[in-house]
């Protein structure tokens, strides 16, 4: 990671105005009254993302605890207008514990263009990012995320990860790593996203599917001014 990118990432590491930030672990929480007002006003959109994973071909809980409390097998980064698309640590939340167990998490974002990075499945993914290992985050798979205006909830897809065990740690705990031969698939689960959203946003008529677009280093980055910044300049 070059010095310019490192400095930029460090500058924004503690900044989370676009993301519902928590601790190093994914937390369970619904929207606050103020956040609901932002969604109703069109200033923020609930981006309902799903992460599913298999290890050695067997289903694996993406957000269940598999060891110490501070661990998590997936960690997230988000690049935005403010970071010129470079991902910095982001901490999605879930609407309920049940939805988290089914792989659902969300970000609360202003309409605009973002770049989401997902590190995992690795035993200490969240711990690495929380400890400042930004190189792992920058080397993770990334996707461009378009958050449209005029919607309350959007589904960018379900990311299907394949992992493998490479050994064991203390007490027989498996060492997890991504399968290097498997591509991460984006699946349309918009019908299920609608069911999840209906439990918490009964006024939402529909949840559009705006699929994530894979982005790789060296490709152009699309940077757009987010909706709330545009409004402040008017």
């Amino acid at each position: 990671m070059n010095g310019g990118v490192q400095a930029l990432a460090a500058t924004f590491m503690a900044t989370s105005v676009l993301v519902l930030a928590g601790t190093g672990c994914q937390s369970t929480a619904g929207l606050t009254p103020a956040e609901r007002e932002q969604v109703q006003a069109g200033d923020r959109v609930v981006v309902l993302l799903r992460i599913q994973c298999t290890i050695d071909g067997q289903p694996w809980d993406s957000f269940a605890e598999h060891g110490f409390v501070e661990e998590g097998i997936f960690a997230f980064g988000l690049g935005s207008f403010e970071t010129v698309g470079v991902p910095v640590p982001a901490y999605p939340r879930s609407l309920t514990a049940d939805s988290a167990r089914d792989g659902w998490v969300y970000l609360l974002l202003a309409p605009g263009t973002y770049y989401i990075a997902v590190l995992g499945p690795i035993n200490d993914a969240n711990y690495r990012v929380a400890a400042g290992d930004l190189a792992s985050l920058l080397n993770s798979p990334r996707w461009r995320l378009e958050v449209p205006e005029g919607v309350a909830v959007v589904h960018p897809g379900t990311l299907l990860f394949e992992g493998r065990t490479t050994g064991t740690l203390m007490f027989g705990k498996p060492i997890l790593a991504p399968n290097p031969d498997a591509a991460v698939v984006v699946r349309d689960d918009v019908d299920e996203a609608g069911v999840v959203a209906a439990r918490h946003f009964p006024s939402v008529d529909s949840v559009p599917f705006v699929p994530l677009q894979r982005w790789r280093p060296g490709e152009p980055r699309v940077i757009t001014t987010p909706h709330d910044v545009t409004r402040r300049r008017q």
Side-chain angles (χ1 to χ4, degrees):
M1 181 167 56
N2 63 48
V5 171
Q6 189 174 25
L8 179 63
T11 300
F12 289 99
M13 185 171 179
T15 303
S16 194
V17 295
L18 293 178
V19 184
L20 292 177
T23 63
C25 299
Q26 178 266 338
S27 60
T28 302
L31 298 180
T32 66
E35 290 164 350
R36 287 182 179 274
E37 288 181 5
Q38 290 178 326
V39 173
Q40 291 172 357
D43 294 331
R44 292 290 185 271
V45 177
V46 176
V47 179
L48 198 53
L49 172 70
R50 193 180 196 185
I51 303 292
Q52 291 198 321
C53 175
T54 60
I55 301 294
D56 296 333
Q58 300 300 314
W60 196 271
D61 291 337
S62 301
F63 300 113
E65 297 297 345
H66 296 290
F68 298 107
V69 172
E70 69 270 15
E71 290 187 352
I73 65 170
F74 287 100
F76 298 84
L78 193 72
S80 64
F81 172 78
E82 281 82 359
T83 68
V84 200
V86 177
V88 296
Y91 302 102
R93 295 193 303 193
S94 61
L95 292 165
T96 66
D98 286 342
S99 64
R101 280 191 289 270
D102 204 24
W104 293 99
V105 291
Y106 73 92
L107 297 166
L108 188 64
L109 303 174
T113 302
Y114 303 86
Y115 291 85
I116 185 168
V118 185
L119 170 64
I122 299 173
N123 296 73
D124 58 350
N126 261 318
Y127 179 80
R128 289 189 189 192
V129 173
D133 182 4
L134 297 180
S136 291
L137 195 59
L138 291 172
N139 290 327
S140 301
R142 294 189 225 175
W143 293 264
R144 189 174 76 246
L145 167 64
E146 299 289 347
V147 180
E149 295 187 39
V151 298
V153 183
V154 66
H155 174 54
T158 294
L159 292 175
L160 305 175
F161 287 83
E162 293 185 25
R164 59 186 179 130
T165 56
T166 60
T168 56
L169 296 170
M170 293 178 61
F171 309 112
K173 179 181 176 182
I175 300 173
L176 307 182
N179 182 347
D181 299 323
V184 182
V185 175
V186 180
R187 186 179 69 199
D188 177 358
D189 280 344
V190 71
D191 290 339
E192 292 186 55
V195 172
V196 174
R199 297 179 190 142
H200 305 278
F201 310 101
S203 62
V204 173
D205 295 328
S206 62
V207 176
F209 175 53
V210 182
L212 293 166
Q213 302 295 323
R214 186 64 190 268
W215 183 90
R216 292 174 174 82
E219 296 179 350
R221 280 197 297 261
V222 177
I223 306 297
T224 60
T225 306
H227 174 75
D228 57 343
V229 174
T230 302
R231 288 185 61 181
R232 288 199 300 268
R233 290 177 176 175
Q234 292 176 346

